Amino acid sequence: MIYNQAEQQSVDAFNRLDKLAKQKQVELIALPLNTSADAQLVVRALLKRKIDAFFANPDNTVFAAFETILNNCNERGIPVFTSEVGLVKRGAVAAYGADIYQWGYQAGQEAAKFLKSKKTDKLTVVKVKIRRRVYNGAAATRFGLTFSENFEKL
C-alpha cells in the first residue's frame, strides 16, 4: 500500500492495517506518497518488491493517482483492493467499506441540524453508518476471482 504522511487519516489507516497484518501474519509493504506526481515511481517501487496484492488506501493522494496505480498494477497482474466503493467503480477488484457519497450525505444531515438550530451542542461525531461489500465484475474476471453473495456486483 501507499499512504500520505501528510494526511492524519491516511497515517491512521496505515497504522490500523499494519497492526491487523501483524495479527494475521501477513507482510504489509508500504511506502509514503505525499503527492500524486510521484505515484508512478512509488507504485513501481512497490511492484518491484513482488507484492501479491495492492491496497488502495482511500486518501486524497490515492484518489488523484488512482488510474496510475491501477494501470501499473494491471500491467503486472497485481489485483487492487480498497475500502471505498468509488474506487471499485474506477477499477479496483473489491472493497468492504465506506460509500463516500453516503458518508457525505450523513455529514450533510449533521450540517442540516446545525443550520436549523444554529447550535453546535446537537452535533455529534459519528462513524460512517453505511458500509458496503462490492466488487467490480470485469476486474474480478481479469484476476479469476469470485465473490460470495454478500458482495454486490457493480
Side-chain angles (χ1 to χ4, degrees), residues 22-37:
K22 287 175 181 162
Q23 289 173 354
K24 300 289 184 180
Q25 298 178 343
V26 172
E27 181 182 8
L28 176 64
I29 301 171
L31 290 175
L33 176 69
N34 295 335
T35 173
S36 60

Side-chain angles (χ1 to χ4, degrees), residues 2 10 13 16 35 38-39 47 92 94 107 118 138 140 154:
I2 55 178
S10 187
R16 289 179 62 207
T35 173
D38 296 330
L47 292 170
K118 304 288 188 212
L154 297 181

Side-chain angles (χ1 to χ4, degrees), residues 29-153:
I29 301 171
L31 290 175
L33 176 69
N34 295 335
T35 173
S36 60
D38 296 330
Q40 184 95 348
L41 291 171
V42 175
V43 171
R44 286 186 176 178
L46 278 174
L47 292 170
K48 285 181 181 179
R49 298 197 51 194
K50 307 260 191 252
I51 61 174
D52 296 315
F54 185 96
F55 179 75
N57 187 31
D59 64 34
N60 291 316
T61 308
V62 169
F63 283 128
F66 186 70
E67 279 66 30
T68 299
I69 294 165
L70 184 66
N71 291 337
N72 279 277
C73 288
N74 282 344
E75 283 177 11
R76 296 279 185 94
I78 303 298
V80 176
F81 296 91
T82 185
S83 60
E84 199 277 313
V85 173
L87 293 179
V88 174
K89 291 177 183 175
R90 290 170 64 184
V93 176
Y96 170 66
D99 181 323
I100 296 296
Y101 176 83
Q102 290 297 326
W103 201 351
Y105 183 85
Q106 184 179 325
Q109 291 175 317
E110 291 299 308
K113 284 183 194 175
F114 170 74
L115 292 172
K116 286 179 183 175
S117 70
K118 304 288 188 212
K119 296 179 182 176
T120 58
D121 62 333
K122 295 189 182 208
L123 298 180
T124 57
V125 176
V126 293
K127 290 185 177 188
V128 63
K129 293 177 184 175
I130 299 174
R131 297 185 187 275
R132 295 170 60 195
R133 287 178 172 87
V134 298
Y135 73 98
N136 180 306
T141 298
R142 178 183 306 114
F143 293 102
L145 299 171
T146 57
F147 291 87
S148 63
E149 291 178 5
N150 65 344
F151 274 79
E152 170 191 355
K153 183 178 177 182

